[in-house]
Amino acid sequence: MSDGFKLSCVLFDLDGTLVDTAPDLIRCLNRAISRHGFEEINPQTIRPFISYGGAAMVARATHDCDAALQKIMLEEMLEDYQQNIATHSHFFDGIAESLNYIEQQGLKWGIVTNKRERFTLPLIDALNLENRISCVISGDTTNNSKPHPEPMLTACQQAEVHPHECVYIGDAEHDILAGRNCKMKTLAAVYGYLKPDDQPKHWGADALIDSPQQLTHWIHETLCN
């Protein structure tokens, strides 16, 4: 690229960027809240809150519910989810091809997510990624989670790359901020779990990508310049 950027590693957020985990998360949420008398929530209503974690999903689905009951429902949801980690979850359309292209170009790739390790690692295993990935950083791998730079820098240490040779792709503002805090290139995955009031064009990302196919194109253009 014109600024002298040399790409060595592609880092992904997990939920809403690399993998569409919404089907499993929402099914487990609805089972938990319906068990306590709440109506199941429309998937399209709750989908934008997935990037903010299970507690945010429960809070959105049950609104003014007692906090103690919300905690119980959250624990039930997560226990259910751990047992059904990849029943319906799948790569976003085009991600498999993007990963193949990344590897064909001799680039490393990895995951930096705020998802807890108890969910991240089984999901990676279920998707048969454990032997392909250069680094995996979960929300509880380091003392701080995104947008703090610590998980990003730890990912670089694992992958043995420099932050300024990485691009980070995520679907939430805190993802872009995390990458920028480490002087990485950043791409906003606007095909992910965006809220209606999100304004990704104001997040400061280097580019917006509407699909994984656009990611592959961005990487190709970067390598050719």
Side-chain angles (χ1 to χ4, degrees), residues 85-86 111 117 119-131 133 136:
I85 199 73
I111 292 170
E117 191 172 272
F119 309 116
T120 303
L121 297 183
L123 180 57
I124 288 171
D125 288 344
L127 296 171
N128 298 313
L129 298 177
E130 64 274 13
N131 295 321
I133 201 163
V136 180

Side-chain angles (χ1 to χ4, degrees), residues 19 48 90 109 179 186-187 205 223:
V19 181
H90 54 86
W109 68 274
T186 56
L187 301 176
L223 295 175

Side-chain angles (χ1 to χ4, degrees), residues 176 180 186 200-206:
I176 304 307
R180 293 178 62 198
T186 56
K201 65 181 180 180
H202 297 310
W203 292 352
D206 290 281

Side-chain angles (χ1 to χ4, degrees), residues 18 42 85 120-121 129 141 163 169 190 201 203 211 215:
L18 189 70
N42 185 299
I85 199 73
T120 303
L121 297 183
L129 298 177
T141 302
I169 304 101
V190 298
K201 65 181 180 180
W203 292 352
S211 67
L215 168 62

Side-chain angles (χ1 to χ4, degrees), residues 200-221:
K201 65 181 180 180
H202 297 310
W203 292 352
D206 290 281
L208 309 183
I209 55 173
D210 294 321
S211 67
Q213 290 85 353
Q214 284 194 353
L215 168 62
T216 302
H217 179 73
W218 186 92
I219 294 171
H220 174 76
E221 291 296 308

Side-chain angles (χ1 to χ4, degrees), residues 30-69:
N30 276 330
R31 282 200 289 256
I33 65 174
S34 63
R35 193 177 297 122
H36 292 272
F38 292 90
E39 291 187 8
E40 293 190 0
I41 192 163
N42 185 299
Q44 297 307 314
T45 300
I46 200 65
R47 183 182 175 92
F49 294 87
I50 290 174
S51 293
Y52 298 87
M57 294 175 67
V58 171
R60 178 70 178 182
T62 59
H63 291 295
D64 298 326
C65 172
D66 176 73
L69 179 55

